[in-house]
Amino acid sequence: MARECSANLCTCCTSFITSTGLVILFLWLTLRTQQPKCFLQSLYLPSLNKTITSNHEHSNNTVIFKLKLINTNKDKGVLYHTVHLTFALLLDANTTRPLANTTLEAFYQGHGRTTQKWSSAEAHGGGVNSTVNGTVFLRVDFATRVNYKIMLFYSKRHRLSGGANVEVNVSSGEKLDPKGIRLGSEAAPLRLRWIALSTFLVSLCFYMTY
Ligand SMILES: *[C@@H]1O[C@H](CO)[C@@H](O)[C@H](O)[C@H]1NC(C)=O
Ligand SMILES: *[C@@H]1O[C@H](CO)[C@@H](O)[C@H](O)[C@H]1NC(C)=O
Ligand SMILES: *[C@@H]1O[C@H](CO)[C@@H](O)[C@H](O)[C@H]1NC(C)=O
Ligand SMILES: *[C@@H]1O[C@H](CO)[C@@H](O)[C@H](O)[C@H]1NC(C)=O
Ligand SMILES: *[C@@H]1O[C@H](CO)[C@@H](O)[C@H](O)[C@H]1NC(C)=O
Ligand SMILES: *[C@@H]1O[C@H](CO)[C@@H](O)[C@H](O)[C@H]1NC(C)=O
Ligand SMILES: *[C@@H]1O[C@H](CO)[C@@H](O)[C@H](O)[C@H]1NC(C)=O
């Protein structure tokens, strides 16, 4: 074995470097994770429902909403820590007033799963009492921390957060856009870093092999 190796030192060296490169690539493919996606599926402000208010019922400043979380990792679970949600009212293009906040309990999500959660938040202090351009806009933000479950092990904690401005129908109190609204996350820079790293590893493999 040793004699063969000294005879073909170059080949031996090359195959060692190639397999090391492949192991690194395999590890990277196994360990890389994608951030879950968060959508605001529905949002309803009973205080804006003209049918209720015209019935002279006492105003209800609750915000009722449905959140959808998608784990796009096909082979990794996600453990969500407490999810913090804040709702603020846009007073103009740049200013908001805090309206309500609430939390969702920690939960685990299997690989490739989608989870939908109904919840509500109680608004304190003046409710939705101002509009921008004749429309009610809410700023909805979420923030949590997640651990990815890779086979039997949990990764370290990662921050996950995002938000969006949501337009509300002033006469029904429902979110104007019936489709889910992505609570944008800071995923892009992370993904760019991964692409840069993988490009680097692949070119390193080629460089060392030839
Ligand atoms: C508004 O209130 C009426 C009366 O309570 C109810 O029937 C209706 O479903 C409400 N609208 C929405 C969008 O929930
Ligand atoms: C407001 O309405 C929601 C849903 O109808 C109800 O669950 C909640 O208890 C109400 N809150 C108040 C303060 O009346
Ligand atoms: C309100 O209208 C003005 C002028 O049409 C526009 O510049 C501004 O972006 C609008 N504000 C919002 C929050 O859409
Ligand atoms: C919002 O901020 C931008 C830039 O800071 C400023 O140009 C604009 O006048 C502000 N708009 C309002 C309504 O305060
Ligand atoms: C959440 O609501 C409580 C009670 O209204 C308030 O004291 C607290 O400051 C709010 N927290 C955030 C982060 O807005
Ligand atoms: C809306 O409510 C807030 C908080 O109570 C108050 O400071 C503000 O003056 C109200 N705005 C209007 C237009 O009533
Ligand atoms: C707002 O809601 C009312 C009552 O449900 C509906 O008639 C109206 O078309 C809605 N407006 C928009 C812009 O969707």
Side-chain angles (χ1 to χ4, degrees):
M1 187 69 190
R3 202 173 297 154
E4 270 174 44
C5 215
S6 51
N8 285 314
L9 185 65
C10 197
T11 317
C12 191
C13 207
T14 304
S15 60
F16 171 74
I17 287 164
T18 309
S19 43
T20 309
L22 285 174
V23 165
I24 292 172
L25 197 66
F26 171 77
L27 276 179
W28 172 74
L29 285 172
T30 311
L31 297 176
R32 108 197 131 132
T33 53
Q34 288 175 313
Q35 286 196 329
K37 291 179 181 157
C38 183
F39 292 87
L40 184 74
Q41 289 300 100
S42 68
L43 181 129
Y44 172 49
L45 299 166
S47 64
L48 293 184
N49 187 336
K50 288 285 190 290
T51 323
I52 295 177
T53 35
S54 62
N55 286 347
H56 300 292
E57 285 183 36
H58 59 275
S59 73
N60 182 333
N61 282 333
T62 312
V63 182
I64 299 165
F65 63 94
K66 184 163 78 173
L67 213 62
K68 182 165 92 175
L69 290 142
I70 305 174
N71 176 10
T72 50
N73 296 286
K74 294 289 171 238
D75 51 5
K76 290 169 193 77
V78 178
L79 177 69
Y80 295 84
H81 294 262
T82 306
V83 182
H84 298 270
L85 282 141
T86 56
F87 299 85
L89 182 66
L90 259 71
L91 303 177
D92 63 45
N94 300 334
T95 331
T96 60
R97 174 165 64 78
L99 202 64
N101 62 60
T102 190
T103 57
L104 302 180
E105 278 177 27
F107 67 100
Y108 177 78
Q109 187 178 43
H111 40 85
R113 293 290 174 83
T114 295
T115 307
Q116 306 216 52
K117 284 190 183 280
W118 279 104
S119 189
S120 67
E122 209 65 52
H124 299 277
V128 177
N129 62 2
S130 91
T131 57
V132 181
N133 293 349
T135 316
V136 170
F137 281 95
L138 291 194
R139 174 74 197 177
V140 183
D141 284 286
F142 84 102
T144 185
R145 284 169 187 279
V146 294
N147 292 106
Y148 297 97
K149 192 181 184 192
I150 302 168
M151 287 178 278
L152 290 174
F153 307 98
Y154 282 101
S155 73
K156 69 177 172 69
R157 284 187 192 192
H158 297 268
R159 222 169 67 86
L160 182 69
S161 64
N165 290 349
V166 178
E167 193 174 352
V168 180
N169 183 327
V170 282
S171 58
S172 75
E174 286 185 302
K175 182 162 68 66
L176 204 66
D177 187 350
K179 285 183 294 181
I181 293 177
R182 174 89 190 263
L183 299 181
S185 74
E186 294 137 25
L190 190 70
R191 207 175 303 139
L192 283 179
R193 230 183 295 147
W194 277 121
I195 290 168
L197 182 64
S198 60
T199 314
F200 170 74
L201 284 175
V202 168
S203 39
L204 192 70
C205 279
F206 274 98
Y207 174 74
M208 293 177 96
T209 315
Y210 298 105

